[in-house]
Amino acid sequence: MKAKPFLIAAPAALALALSGCGGSTGNTTSGGGNTASGDCSSADVFCVGLVTDTGTIDDKSFNQAAWEAVKSFEGSGATVKPIETKDPKDYANNIKQFTDQKYDAVVTVGFLMTEATRTAAEANPNTKFIGVDQFQESDVPNVTGLVFPEQNAGYAAGYLAGLMTKTNKIGVVLGQEIPPTQNYAKGYEQGSKAANPKVSVAKVYHPAGDNAFSDPAWGAGEAKKMLAQGADFIFGAGGGTGNGAIGEAAKASGAGESVYCIGVDLDQWNTVPEAQPCLVTSAEKKLTDGTKTLLDQVKDGSIKGGNFFGKTGLAPYHDFDSKIPADVKTKVDEVIKGLEDESIKVS
Amino acid sequence: MEWLNRNKVWVGTAALVLVAAYVFYFINGTIAVSMFSNAWFLAVPLVLGAMVGVIGERSGVVNIGIEGQMLVGAFAAFFAAAATQSIVVGVIAGALSGLAMGAFLAFTTVKGQLDQIIAGVVINIIATGITSFYFESGKTIPRGLPNFDVPLLSKIPLIGPVFFSDGPIALFALVIVFVIHVLLFKTKWGLRTRAVGEYPSAADTAGINVIALRLVNVSLAGILAGVAGTYLSMEATSSFERGMSSGRGFLALAILIFGAWRPMRALAAALFFGFMSATASQLQASDVVNIPQQFINLLPYVLTLVVLAAAAGRVRAPGAVGQPFVKGD
């Protein structure tokens, strides 16, 4: 057999080139439109940098929510700048671009950047770091992890579902079984039972590890099965997998009339528009508020290292505002207050 | 009669499964229908993927790039539909991207004699690279492909709601299995394809253009992988996620072997796998057994392994699989 080495080399090189595409260093974007090039090393100029996880600042998700908080400081004369990470290999380099210019605060978004953030913080003790969704196992004095009690958000969502369900059956489709999803599920179950002891909760975790959060087709199949078995509330709590579940509920007959769904993490009315026909609310982590609070603390010097627990709650009801009975809303609001002042605790 | 005699094991098994399914249906109709629907819902991309494998390997070309072809199909379909706001354009883009990926495999391995495994790996790597790099979040399509009831057939108890109240691609998957079965075993094209996959030099001597037939078959099979991807992003869901094929292309290969390189048996194998997954999640959701969900979720894989082990030795791959054909070699 005649060997044609170029035919092996060409596609292989192509493959390497393409898979390497992600390797380009994160570019500083001019997304903020900030041209006020104040000298960040001066004490008078407040400079805040934001490093996204692999994603963009208009991703309608975590990155955008955090960026909105940072951007809000522009009005008060601060210099703000985002760097969009293209490849996880660049986390450290992207953070370095800010620390080299002596920024006062650097916000890093996403659990995956936990280590990179801590390492950078140890090397730059004068810069304050805010790690969104980064739980700190041990304290680094200049790193504050902004974390959220998922069980509280899940509890509020479950409470709403428990009050509104007609079939007394509700379901939740989760990603991989890890502490955040377990917390959501735990809260959801306890909340729904607190509202209505007759409720039974169907709960499934995605079986595989690698793609557990990016398998919408599986999530949709699970939601379909739960709906066929009489569930009238589907809570999708697992990234893309959960989004598949609420997207399926939106397609079911009776969506928005007798079948409802609940989103997760952010107000998914905006992030998962295909779920709008059934999306009553989302179990929300108040990311923008939390980031703002911490940046204010950086400004007045009161920020502490360790973990900062942000607020959770339910996203606006949007089109369902008029369809949800007023007494249900009142009860849910009371529960959210109770969770905040810790008179209600999820065990 | 003779046919029945030759296939008595398969016909018997099928009859037994059918009876068991209806017994289940009469005990608890709601749960039976929901579980079988779930099984078929999960099986559709596996069936289409396995058909890609059947055509490829029957022609003598191993295709381990089904996973990547599927992913590119899902990506192209979704983003074409999002850009044009037309679901028809999306479906066409999904199918054509599959054709392109199929042609890539065909030309590198059949014309260029690149190692077939390497070509498949290249496809998977390219697919992951392209679909992650050009991925944009926040795009939406007007709506997914709609479900509809097939007249009359959808009224059959159990079978109707499971197989005949789905979207167009699910229905297509069901039909294409029978079509490929007939084409492969009852037509001239089928005979030639099998000859080319079993003993290409003999086929060549008989005047069949081995290279051309393989090129055409492997390229066209790619369309099915593209359609499987379109199912994932436009029928099962209305969204695209990076890596959303989630190993289904590789599972399809296991199903191909499980189904002994025959379309109908691959369909049965895919349904079996889908049903095992449905059972796993049903046990998890209903909380009847108190064992960790990871163990329940192992069930389909363990059972597949057992069945594959039992079938080993009894099934045989087409003779010329994996070997490039060089005229006069």
Side-chain angles (χ1 to χ4, degrees):
Chain A
M1 198 183 90
K2 288 167 290 182
K4 296 188 178 173
F6 73 94
L7 273 159
I8 300 174
L14 185 62
L16 286 172
L18 282 163
S19 62
C21 274
S24 57
T25 43
N27 328 314
T28 43
T29 60
S30 51
N34 54 88
T35 41
S37 51
D39 179 11
C40 291
S41 55
S42 132
D44 305 332
V45 188
F46 187 54
C47 295
V48 186
L50 175 126
V51 182
T52 70
D53 201 341
T54 50
T56 58
I57 50 165
D58 57 356
D59 67 352
K60 298 183 184 168
S61 183
F62 278 23
N63 292 322
Q64 183 173 352
W67 171 239
E68 275 167 12
V70 173
K71 202 164 182 283
S72 69
F73 282 81
E74 207 177 16
S76 55
T79 300
V80 297
K81 202 169 197 176
I83 296 181
E84 295 177 339
T85 305
K86 295 276 190 275
D87 188 297
K89 288 197 288 288
D90 298 328
Y91 288 155
N93 284 335
N94 291 348
I95 295 172
K96 197 165 178 290
Q97 295 195 32
F98 289 127
T99 52
D100 284 353
Q101 294 176 51
K102 307 271 179 260
Y103 269 57
D104 300 276
V106 177
V107 179
T108 61
V109 187
F111 172 74
L112 294 173
M113 245 185 284
T114 311
E115 274 319 304
T117 306
R118 289 171 65 98
T119 312
E122 277 160 0
N124 300 280
N126 294 325
T127 306
K128 301 290 182 197
F129 287 83
I130 297 170
V132 177
D133 235 20
Q134 297 169 15
F135 183 81
Q136 305 293 316
E137 304 264 351
S138 60
D139 289 3
V140 175
N142 55 333
V143 181
T144 311
L146 174 61
V147 290
F148 299 88
E150 288 94 1
Q151 61 273 27
N152 288 358
Y155 191 97
Y159 199 84
L160 174 71
L163 290 176
M164 286 184 72
T165 177
K166 295 275 187 298
T167 59
N168 289 336
K169 284 180 188 161
I170 62 174
V172 51
V173 178
L174 301 131
Q176 193 183 349
E177 190 172 8
I178 51 171
T181 53
Q182 284 171 329
N183 289 341
Y184 271 126
K186 195 167 66 180
Y188 186 66
E189 273 182 296
Q190 290 179 20
S192 62
K193 296 223 158 93
N196 175 357
K198 282 180 294 187
V199 157
S200 68
V201 183
K203 166 181 82 178
V204 283
Y205 290 99
H206 191 283
D210 283 359
N211 303 304
F213 291 99
S214 58
D215 194 353
W218 181 86
E222 289 308 310
K224 198 177 178 182
K225 184 149 67 75
M226 288 176 180
L227 292 169
Q229 292 176 8
D232 60 357
F233 260 89
I234 300 291
F235 177 30
T241 305
N243 294 351
I246 58 177
E248 178 66 27
K251 282 194 264 181
S253 63
E257 301 296 327
S258 56
V259 170
Y260 305 96
C261 58
I262 300 172
V264 79
D265 286 345
L266 294 163
D267 186 358
Q268 294 202 307
W269 186 265
N270 307 315
T271 58
V272 191
E274 70 262 26
Q276 283 178 2
C278 68
L279 194 77
V280 281
T281 184
S282 303
E284 199 185 5
K285 297 177 176 178
K286 310 275 186 194
L287 215 89
T288 309
D289 291 351
T291 311
K292 263 188 208 159
T293 310
L294 285 176
L295 284 172
D296 278 329
Q297 290 184 3
V298 173
K299 232 177 160 178
D300 63 26
S302 65
I303 192 159
K304 289 193 190 69
N307 289 304
F308 178 86
F309 288 93
K311 286 184 177 169
T312 59
L314 293 181
Y317 300 120
H318 296 282
D319 288 6
F320 287 89
D321 202 44
S322 57
K323 291 185 191 165
I324 299 172
D327 63 314
V328 170
K329 285 187 213 165
T330 327
K331 281 183 188 165
V332 170
D333 287 344
E334 279 166 17
V335 163
I336 293 173
K337 274 207 198 77
L339 289 163
E340 262 170 36
D341 64 25
E342 295 186 9
S343 59
I344 300 174
K345 276 199 177 123
V346 184
S347 52
Chain B
M1 217 42 227
E2 196 213 27
W3 176 86
L4 205 61
N5 231 348
R6 264 192 294 129
N7 293 289
K8 59 182 175 232
V9 177
W10 294 103
V11 175
T13 314
L16 209 66
V17 168
L18 206 61
V19 170
Y22 272 97
V23 169
F24 185 14
Y25 176 68
F26 284 109
I27 294 171
N28 191 333
T30 322
I31 293 202
V33 170
S34 70
M35 281 179 71
F36 288 120
S37 296
N38 189 222
W40 178 230
F41 190 87
L42 297 171
V44 169
L46 303 181
V47 169
L48 288 168
M51 290 308 115
V52 180
V54 165
I55 298 176
E57 300 210 359
R58 283 287 184 173
S59 322
V61 178
V62 180
N63 184 353
I64 65 159
I66 299 173
E67 173 82 5
Q69 295 178 334
M70 231 184 237
L71 189 59
V72 169
F75 177 87
F78 182 79
F79 285 100
T84 60
Q85 290 296 305
S86 152
I87 54 173
V88 179
V89 173
V91 173
I92 294 171
L96 288 183
S97 68
L99 179 66
M101 296 303 278
F104 177 84
L105 180 70
F107 280 89
T108 49
T109 60
V110 179
K111 267 250 188 273
Q113 293 149 29
L114 172 63
D115 184 282
Q116 296 173 1
I117 303 295
I118 292 179
V121 171
V122 166
I123 286 181
N124 291 334
I125 296 175
I126 289 180
T128 317
I130 288 183
T131 57
S132 302
F133 189 70
Y134 290 104
F135 173 78
E136 268 180 78
S137 54
K139 293 270 184 238
T140 56
I141 57 174
R143 65 195 172 99
L145 294 169
N147 284 7
F148 57 89
D149 293 338
V150 180
L152 291 174
L153 288 173
S154 64
K155 298 280 181 289
I156 307 170
L158 189 59
I159 290 177
V162 172
F163 290 107
F164 297 109
S165 305
D166 296 305
I169 296 180
L171 200 64
F172 169 79
L174 193 62
V175 173
I176 201 76
V177 171
F178 292 91
V179 171
I180 291 175
H181 176 84
V182 171
L183 287 177
L184 209 50
F185 297 109
K186 310 281 175 207
T187 66
K188 198 163 80 181
W189 171 82
L191 186 64
R192 289 183 172 181
T193 296
R194 285 181 291 140
V196 160
E198 282 295 342
Y199 204 162
S201 23
D204 183 53
T205 314
I208 300 169
N209 188 339
V210 177
I211 301 286
L213 193 60
R214 282 186 175 179
L215 282 178
V216 170
N217 286 359
V218 173
S219 304
L220 289 181
I223 294 178
L224 294 180
V227 172
T230 310
Y231 174 84
L232 292 177
S233 65
M234 291 186 65
E235 188 166 308
T237 70
S238 317
S239 62
F240 179 83
E241 281 287 330
R242 278 170 277 207
M244 80 181 293
S245 49
S246 298
R248 288 180 175 84
F250 297 121
L251 256 181
L253 283 176
I255 281 162
L256 163 76
I257 298 167
F258 196 173
W261 289 267
R262 298 174 75 93
M264 307 281 262
R265 289 186 202 173
L267 171 66
L271 280 171
F272 170 78
F273 196 87
F275 186 68
M276 281 299 122
S277 301
T279 310
S281 66
Q282 182 70 19
L283 286 174
Q284 205 197 120
S286 58
D287 243 352
V288 280
V289 279
N290 192 18
I291 39 176
Q293 56 99 2
Q294 286 86 349
F295 282 102
I296 302 173
N297 286 320
L298 271 178
L299 208 67
Y301 300 94
V302 170
L303 274 169
T304 309
L305 213 59
V306 168
V307 176
L308 278 177
R314 269 176 246 190
V315 293
R316 191 183 65 82
V321 145
Q323 301 158 9
F325 175 71
V326 184
K327 209 175 160 84
D329 229 13

